[in-house]
């Protein structure tokens, strides 16, 4: 079961969200529990609770949803934030607080379901490993769930992560031996990708975050089989 906080001042909007969650639970055989907060102030007074994700309305009275997200990030760098708002033009600034996504009000179930499936895939990776990356300047510890993909060029490994890119001297085979248990799969001989961040496949192009990564012809069949099996495990 996943527990998600919803910070929403409108009873009607919260009811619409709750009904969409109930339908999603029933159709996808998952269990998501919503905890409702009517204001940012009420949420902040209860933030000791452990939530898997937080849904924020941007246009909250008093402390706005964006300011609340910035406050949350001061103490929690990892919790997944998703904006549910009619102010889509402001939601694009979510990169400032590492927001996972946003849903535009009023909720349209098809779009909502697609983004919820991505969210469930993301949350399913919470069981993760700490990876210590030895760069030329320092050692950096990141969670495997925060690594988008790993790229090799010669003997240099480039980790693309939620905290930026880090270079290290290693082999992709060695990295794969460490990350393979956490849903990392090769799409070709140069890339080891985290399936939780895959947005789709177009021909031989893998869509992941803002990247298009090439899928090699020999690997495509096995890669798609693994990807589809992963989607099936997490409700895709």
């Amino acid at each position: 079961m996943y527990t998600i906080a919803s910070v929403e001042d409108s009873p009607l909007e919260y009811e619409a969200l709750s009904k969409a969650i109930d339908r999603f639970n029933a159709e996808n055989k998952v269990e998501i529990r919503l905890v409702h907060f009517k204001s940012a102030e009420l949420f902040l007074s209860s933030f000791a609770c452990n939530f898997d994700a937080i849904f924020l309305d941007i246009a909250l009275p008093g402390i706005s949803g964006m300011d609340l997200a910035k406050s949350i990030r001061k103490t929690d760098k990892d919790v997944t934030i998703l904006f549910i708002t009619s102010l889509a033009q402001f939601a694009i600034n979510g990169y400032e607080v590492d927001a996972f996504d946003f849903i535009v009000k009023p909720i349209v179930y098809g779009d909502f379901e697609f983004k919820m499936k991505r969210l469930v895939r993301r949350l399913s990776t919470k069981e993760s490993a700490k990876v210590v990356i030895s760069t030329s300047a320092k050692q950096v510890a990141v969670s495997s769930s925060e690594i988008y993909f790993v790229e090799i060029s010669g003997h240099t490994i480039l980790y693309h992560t939620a905290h930026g890119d880090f270079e290290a001297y290693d082999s992709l085979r060695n990295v794969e031996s460490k990350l393979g248990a956490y849903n990392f799969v090769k799409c070709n001989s140069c890339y080891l990708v985290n399936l939780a961040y895959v947005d789709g496949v177009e021909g031989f192009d893998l869509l992941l975050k803002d990247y298009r990564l090439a899928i090699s012809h020999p690997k495509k069949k096995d890669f798609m089989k693994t990807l589809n099996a992963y989607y099936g495990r997490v409700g895709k």
Side-chain angles (χ1 to χ4, degrees), residues 110-159:
D111 180 62
F112 177 82
E113 182 184 35
F114 174 77
K115 295 189 176 186
M116 284 300 298
K117 285 178 177 178
R118 289 187 64 240
L119 176 61
V120 170
R121 296 207 308 271
R122 168 75 171 267
L123 297 181
S124 72
T125 67
K126 288 297 184 180
E127 292 290 332
S128 60
K130 279 292 182 184
V131 178
V132 178
I133 303 171
S134 298
T135 72
S136 59
K138 60 182 178 180
Q139 287 192 327
V140 180
V142 299
S143 168
S144 61
S145 63
E146 298 174 317
I147 300 172
Y148 303 145
F149 69 99
V150 182
E151 178 181 0
I152 189 166
S153 178
H155 294 291
T156 300
I157 292 288
L158 183 61
Y159 292 83

Side-chain angles (χ1 to χ4, degrees), residues 71-213:
S71 180
I72 291 168
R73 282 291 178 245
K74 290 178 181 178
T75 57
D76 192 329
K77 303 294 185 185
D78 297 324
V79 67
T80 301
I81 294 175
L82 188 148
F83 290 112
I84 300 183
T85 179
S86 57
L87 304 175
Q89 67 271 30
F90 297 112
I92 61 174
N93 294 327
Y95 69 88
E96 297 177 7
V97 292
D98 193 26
F100 175 70
D101 210 334
F102 70 92
I103 293 173
V104 178
K105 297 178 183 179
I107 291 175
V108 175
Y109 184 75
D111 180 62
F112 177 82
E113 182 184 35
F114 174 77
K115 295 189 176 186
M116 284 300 298
K117 285 178 177 178
R118 289 187 64 240
L119 176 61
V120 170
R121 296 207 308 271
R122 168 75 171 267
L123 297 181
S124 72
T125 67
K126 288 297 184 180
E127 292 290 332
S128 60
K130 279 292 182 184
V131 178
V132 178
I133 303 171
S134 298
T135 72
S136 59
K138 60 182 178 180
Q139 287 192 327
V140 180
V142 299
S143 168
S144 61
S145 63
E146 298 174 317
I147 300 172
Y148 303 145
F149 69 99
V150 182
E151 178 181 0
I152 189 166
S153 178
H155 294 291
T156 300
I157 292 288
L158 183 61
Y159 292 83
H160 299 269
T161 83
H163 304 291
D165 296 343
F166 302 100
E167 283 190 1
Y169 182 85
D170 207 340
S171 70
L172 196 60
R173 176 177 294 181
N174 187 43
V175 176
E176 185 178 14
S177 70
K178 298 175 184 177
L179 295 178
Y182 301 98
N183 299 308
F184 281 77
V185 179
K186 281 184 181 177
C187 63
N188 65 32
S189 60
C190 297
Y191 301 123
L192 182 68
V193 303
N194 187 341
L195 297 181
Y197 291 101
V198 173
D199 293 319
V201 174
E202 293 182 357
F204 286 88
D205 285 345
L206 177 68
L207 309 182
L208 187 153
K209 302 296 285 183
D210 296 325
Y211 301 91
R212 279 181 174 264
L213 307 180

Side-chain angles (χ1 to χ4, degrees), residues 24-44:
F24 181 81
N25 284 344
E27 293 182 359
N28 293 275
K29 296 180 174 59
V30 297
E31 188 176 357
I32 295 173
R33 181 174 71 95
L34 280 179
V35 179
H36 185 205
F37 298 90
K38 296 180 180 180
S39 69
E41 290 81 0
L42 285 173
F43 176 83
L44 288 171

